Amino acid sequence: MPACVWLLLFSDAQTCHLASLHRQLPLAAASLARGYAKDATDKTTGSTSLEDFRAREEQLERERDAAEEAAAKATQNEAGSGGAGGAGGKHQESAEQTAKQAKVDAIRDKILDAALEHVPQHGWTRQAIVLGAEQCGYPSVVHGMFPEGGFALVSHFNGRCNAQLVQSLKEKTSKGQQEVENPLDFLVQAVRQRMEMIAPYKAQWPQAMSLIAQPQHASTALAQVLTLVDDICYYSGDRSVDFGWYTRRIGLATIMKMTELYLLQDTSAGNVQTWEFLKNRMDEAVQLQMALSQTEGMTHTFQRSFNSAFITARNILGLGFKRN
């Protein structure tokens, strides 16, 4: 796999010196159409609580009754409908399964939201999830719904923060219809806004980064990063169709990770040094892109490397980045 993909996946676990963060990286101010990475987070079904056990059993009884009724109806209508009744029964069963999964997902989200309050004291751990479950009125055994352990909490936090940022970008640009006057400043402010969401958990964030860097979590973490940088580029006015579309996204993702690492070591008031670092890296990236554009052969070689990295990452996830 190209080195820059591994940089995206595992830079969270690095403890490199700040001097290494000042390397220039390519990033243009704008480019192509939208793209979405599907949410790679696993949703694990299971019991919600001991108190819900009886209610769940009663629900199963009702589902069995409904299935029997659907089967009887299918038998009665089979001759005249050519199996349409059976198809309707399957559709009903599918709808019920979807509704049940939605309920489980809602409970998971509720517990993880509550668990975030306990991260400052207990870190990104199962213990924080247990406390979140108890806070929501569920017994501690509900942590069995989260086989990913602490990473479930990290992934939930990243997903929630990404969604909040995208909603903010939509409001600033009238859902992408309003032209951005200064795309570079827009990118800087978007990355800063996302990094500020991490700041309250600054002391515990190295633990989150180590969980993200674990191989079994790579697909989820990578999908979240690629989705976010694509959204930021899109709302910044990235509409052009050219060879550097992937290059800019890889560059932005890398600058985000560099800024994230810098933030963890920043002791300045209000993290002002981090925001200055971010602005300087963006400025250098644009200058480097302009310099490379003057050397056609070098530019194509450079872009092919980054484009290949982005495409490889997308293929690992089995994702297409086309939105309707």
Side-chain angles (χ1 to χ4, degrees):
M1 183 184 301
C4 41
V5 176
W6 290 111
L7 175 61
L8 288 177
L9 290 176
F10 303 112
S11 62
D12 291 323
Q14 302 303 312
T15 56
C16 54
H17 297 294
L18 295 184
S20 66
L21 299 178
H22 291 269
R23 293 174 293 179
Q24 296 177 340
L25 293 165
L27 176 69
S31 173
L32 182 71
R34 311 181 182 184
Y36 259 121
K38 298 177 182 178
D39 182 12
T41 304
D42 291 334
K43 300 293 187 180
T44 306
T45 59
S47 59
T48 56
S49 74
L50 295 177
E51 295 176 353
D52 289 343
F53 178 80
R54 180 173 298 175
R56 186 174 63 251
E57 291 303 305
E58 292 174 353
Q59 176 63 25
L60 290 174
E61 288 291 341
R62 288 193 292 270
E63 291 175 2
R64 282 192 287 268
D65 291 342
E68 290 176 358
E69 292 176 3
K73 183 177 179 180
T75 300
Q76 294 173 358
N77 298 334
E78 184 175 2
S81 64
K90 291 181 179 180
H91 178 74
Q92 179 182 358
E93 181 178 356
S94 176
E96 291 174 351
Q97 290 295 328
T98 300
K100 288 170 61 179
Q101 185 60 53
K103 181 180 179 180
V104 172
D105 292 346
I107 293 173
R108 279 175 55 98
D109 290 343
K110 181 179 179 180
I111 291 173
L112 292 173
D113 282 338
L116 289 173
E117 299 178 16
H118 303 280
V119 169
Q121 182 176 357
H122 298 280
W124 305 90
T125 62
R126 288 183 181 274
Q127 180 61 23
I129 296 176
V130 168
L131 293 174
E134 292 176 347
Q135 182 176 323
C136 294
Y138 298 105
S140 60
V141 293
V142 80
H143 70 74
M145 295 176 64
F146 307 93
E148 319 96 306
F151 178 72
L153 189 54
V154 176
S155 179
H156 174 77
F157 172 76
N158 279 334
R160 189 181 72 168
C161 291
N162 291 354
Q164 290 175 354
L165 176 59
V166 171
Q167 181 60 36
S168 175
L169 299 182
K170 286 181 178 180
E171 294 174 356
K172 291 178 180 179
T173 62
S174 299
K175 297 183 178 180
Q177 300 303 312
Q178 180 177 333
E179 184 177 355
V180 174
E181 294 184 1
N182 189 334
L184 179 59
D185 182 66
F186 184 91
L187 292 173
V188 171
Q189 294 304 318
V191 174
R192 174 174 175 171
Q193 184 177 345
R194 180 62 179 84
M195 294 298 105
E196 286 177 336
M197 296 177 185
I198 297 175
Y201 303 97
K202 189 172 172 179
Q204 298 79 28
W205 197 246
Q207 180 189 20
M209 294 168 75
S210 67
L211 289 170
I212 291 172
Q214 294 179 7
Q216 65 269 32
H217 302 146
S219 62
T220 297
L222 181 59
Q224 289 180 324
V225 170
L226 297 185
T227 301
L228 180 61
V229 298
D230 188 61
D231 281 329
I232 293 175
C233 286
Y234 174 77
Y235 289 109
S236 73
D238 193 341
R239 303 292 193 275
S240 62
V241 181
D242 59 35
F243 195 61
W245 185 80
Y246 297 119
T247 306
R248 286 183 283 276
R249 281 151 176 77
I250 288 291
L252 178 58
T254 307
I255 288 177
M256 285 182 61
K257 287 302 177 182
M258 291 169 63
T259 305
E260 187 177 331
L261 287 169
Y262 195 102
L263 173 65
L264 298 183
Q265 304 174 71
D266 187 1
T267 58
S268 62
N271 300 310
V272 292
Q273 291 182 0
T274 297
W275 314 137
E276 185 66 20
F277 172 85
L278 169 61
K279 186 177 185 304
N280 290 339
R281 300 294 77 74
M282 286 289 194
D283 288 340
E284 291 171 356
V286 172
Q287 293 171 12
L288 181 59
Q289 184 76 17
M290 292 174 62
L292 288 173
S293 65
Q294 299 175 6
T295 309
E296 183 177 358
M298 184 177 180
T299 302
H300 286 180
T301 300
F302 188 77
Q303 287 180 328
R304 280 196 297 270
S305 176
F306 275 81
N307 292 1
S308 176
F310 196 98
I311 294 171
T312 299
R314 183 185 64 184
N315 290 340
I316 289 173
L317 299 173
L319 301 174
F321 285 75
K322 297 296 182 183
R323 295 183 227 174
N324 294 327

